[in-house]
Amino acid sequence: MRDIKIALIQQSFKGDRQLEQTAYLVEKAASKANLVCLQELHANHYFCQAQDLRNFDYASNFKEQVAFFSDLAKNLKIVLVTSLFEERAPGLYHNTAVVFEKDGSIAGTYKKMHIPDDNNFYEKYYFTPGEQDSKDDLSLGFKPIDTSIGRLGILVCWDQWYPEAARVMALNGAEILIYPTAIGSLFSEDESERARQIDAWVTMQRSHAIANGIYVASINRVGKEGESLSAIYNPNAEVVAKSKDDKEGIDFFGNSFIASPQGEILGRLDSTKEGLLEASLDMSEIARIRNIWPFLRDRRIDAYSDLLKRFAFKG
């Protein structure tokens, strides 16, 4: 039997103390886990709430942050999943997950494929989607990363809503789907809408675990952040508005969780508080559940051509 000890770190943004606080939490997690996972764009506040040229400067820290987390993984002897803002070339940027091996080397990277463009989530302004692997035209960039503890399928936030992405990762041998995430409700949305969003978000990802017979780990931010064009961000997770009408922002809803290959919730964090979620994953469960529910066996791969169309109905 092979077990993976996994830990998810759910944080709020701490301003200039962010890297220091993250390193502290990773060290704490490493005492109990050999795989530690961080949330989306964890080194910065969620700057995509505004379209501001100055925010591209955050990507200039990419190499420095890679070195920082490489040393952290090496010193703690863990596999570490990070999510960083990368400048690939002037004017070309990616939302990039970097996975570090126990020796600090880079096991692999994944560039976010599905990019949202919505109120306070203006990611298309900043991020270029990941591209298909030229060696395999069918991969579409959904390639798992091999590590010393197992094969990890890294997907990022908006990718969560696409069963195609989860399926291709599973078909390429991923054993765990890991989703670094930054999602929440807007300040203007009421509690009932927030509850519906959380329920939909958890349900969608549990369905990926069930449909593919695979573990799913989702790591979300928590706390309030405001970054509209006329708002000033306060590192203490408060928003100071220049006018009484300018109060929009995101209340990240946490709820980081781990699901089994049968969709069972193995652990889940709070919707408002920071936390560390740990679990032991029995990897033999993947084969056991797939033998009970052989969904991969019964796929009609000869009948799915419409999936390669934007929309198939011609009525």
Side-chain angles (χ1 to χ4, degrees), residues 24 26 34-35 46 57 102 105 133 188-189 214 222 225 240 262-263 273 284 289 299 304 314:
Y24 166 76
V26 170
N34 54 10
L35 170 61
Y46 184 72
D57 291 343
K102 294 178 179 180
S105 63
D133 185 342
S188 58
E189 293 170 325
I214 198 171
V222 73
E225 296 185 31
V240 181
Q262 213 165 14
K273 298 177 183 177
S284 68
I289 296 302
R299 294 177 64 241
Y304 297 154
K314 295 181 175 62

Side-chain angles (χ1 to χ4, degrees), residues 33-304:
N34 54 10
L35 170 61
V36 180
C37 307
L38 300 174
Q39 64 205 25
E40 184 182 18
L41 299 173
H42 51 80
N44 304 303
H45 66 101
Y46 184 72
F47 53 83
C48 303
Q49 292 190 64
Q51 297 183 27
D52 189 333
L53 285 170
R54 293 171 296 182
N55 288 334
F56 287 108
D57 291 343
Y58 289 121
S60 65
N61 298 320
F62 178 74
K63 291 182 179 180
E64 178 183 337
Q65 290 167 359
V66 166
F68 178 87
F69 288 107
S70 170
D71 288 344
L72 195 58
K74 180 178 180 180
N75 292 337
L76 297 173
K77 296 181 174 57
I78 56 170
V79 174
L80 179 61
V81 178
T82 67
S83 173
L84 305 172
F85 187 23
E86 176 186 7
E87 181 182 17
R88 182 174 174 183
L92 183 61
Y93 301 83
H94 292 286
N95 186 331
T96 301
V98 183
V99 179
F100 297 95
E101 248 308 345
K102 294 178 179 180
D103 62 0
S105 63
I106 295 177
T109 63
Y110 167 78
K111 292 175 170 54
K112 186 173 182 176
M113 288 287 285
H114 299 96
I115 312 295
D117 184 46
D118 200 1
N119 185 20
N120 281 66
F121 294 89
Y122 301 113
E123 294 195 13
K124 277 188 169 65
Y125 180 79
Y126 295 101
F127 307 132
T128 299
E131 57 201 14
Q132 71 180 32
D133 185 342
S134 60
K135 297 179 182 178
D136 181 357
D137 290 340
L138 298 179
S139 74
L140 298 177
F142 301 121
K143 301 289 283 188
I145 296 171
D146 287 315
T147 73
S148 58
I149 59 169
R151 177 167 282 192
L152 310 180
I154 312 298
L155 296 164
V156 179
C157 202
W158 196 236
D159 292 328
Q160 289 159 339
W161 303 99
Y162 295 87
E164 301 90 342
R167 177 70 89 199
V168 175
M169 281 291 191
L171 292 178
N172 276 295
E175 297 175 290
I176 311 172
L177 295 179
I178 299 173
Y179 291 95
T181 301
I183 189 170
S185 56
L186 301 182
F187 293 170
S188 58
E189 293 170 325
D190 61 26
E191 285 300 316
S192 62
E193 175 59 24
R194 178 180 173 87
R196 285 190 292 270
Q197 291 175 5
I198 293 172
D199 184 60
W201 179 76
V202 172
T203 300
M204 189 69 192
Q205 292 173 90
R206 287 183 67 198
S207 76
H208 299 329
I210 297 166
N212 295 291
I214 198 171
Y215 284 101
V216 168
S218 186
I219 318 97
N220 192 19
R221 300 171 83 98
V222 73
K224 293 181 172 68
E225 296 185 31
E227 191 65 37
S228 62
L229 287 175
S230 59
I232 303 171
Y233 181 73
N234 183 312
N236 294 322
E238 298 174 353
V239 173
V240 181
K242 288 187 175 180
S243 74
K244 64 180 181 180
D245 297 323
D246 182 10
K247 297 180 180 178
E248 194 61 285
I250 302 174
D251 189 356
F252 293 100
F253 51 57
N255 279 274
S256 300
F257 72 94
I258 301 167
S260 77
Q262 213 165 14
E264 176 189 7
I265 298 294
L266 302 180
R268 181 169 166 178
L269 294 178
D270 191 88
S271 63
T272 60
K273 298 177 183 177
E274 296 182 317
L276 178 64
L277 179 61
E278 304 159 6
S280 180
L281 310 183
D282 177 0
M283 304 313 291
S284 68
E285 276 292 284
I286 295 174
R288 188 182 77 83
I289 296 302
R290 286 182 177 177
N291 287 339
I292 296 171
W293 286 350
F295 299 140
L296 298 184
R297 181 197 68 188
D298 297 336
R299 294 177 64 241
R300 285 297 305 276
I301 59 175
D302 58 317
Y304 297 154

